[in-house]
Amino acid sequence: MAQIVQLLASAVHRYVGRPADGPAPAPPGELVEEVRIRAGLGIVGDRYFGRPAHREASVTLIAQESLPPGADLTQVRRNVLTHGIAVDELVGLVLTLDSGDGPVRLRVHRAAPPCAWLDVTVAPGTWKALRGRGGVRCAPLTDGVLRVGPVEVTVDS
């Protein structure tokens, strides 16, 4: 069964400057049990919410199967960690997720390439290992709520 494993909504951009300098400190409470999503705007409370330059990429997903054991959203800086959903194969499609509060439709616009920060935050070699498996950037088409736990998945063109 497909699941939402973790959710991240962070008001701050932690990866600033050079990876060798390390990330900025994490604010408390960026890993959450649920997120509110607004159509065309993104995740309420997230650093990219409502930003025009990020409207087609305001919600990011990554598959747990792509990550090394123990890695999580605080390290890879995506919003939704899934299990049992091949998110990297969905570019150009509409992904609908329903975690119990009604469907949330996301247009999967493009891949979310990994960056050099992952060699610092996860482990050396992670940047190269995640090429082609770094997740996807999406635009929300509907308002809704996503929660950690089991999720119904539908994919449409």
Side-chain angles (χ1 to χ4, degrees), residues 7-100:
L7 294 165
L8 181 138
S10 182
V12 299
H13 188 58
R14 293 186 50 220
Y15 296 173
V16 183
R18 298 171 350 140
D21 298 332
E30 63 181 8
L31 286 178
V32 294
E33 292 296 311
E34 70 179 49
V35 292
R36 285 187 46 235
I37 295 180
R38 298 279 313 278
L41 298 172
I43 295 175
V44 175
D46 190 69
R47 63 201 175 280
Y48 296 121
F49 181 78
R51 300 234 173 151
H54 295 279
R55 289 219 173 115
E56 290 188 354
S58 62
V59 178
T60 55
L61 290 81
I62 191 166
Q64 185 178 41
E65 293 85 349
S66 295
L67 299 178
D72 69 13
L73 294 179
T74 61
Q75 297 163 306
V76 297
R77 307 309 287 167
R78 304 293 188 251
N79 300 116
V80 182
L81 180 62
T82 66
H83 182 80
I85 306 170
V87 298
D88 295 297
E89 300 172 9
L90 303 177
V91 174
L93 302 174
V94 174
L95 172 65
T96 303
L97 301 173
D98 188 340
S99 58

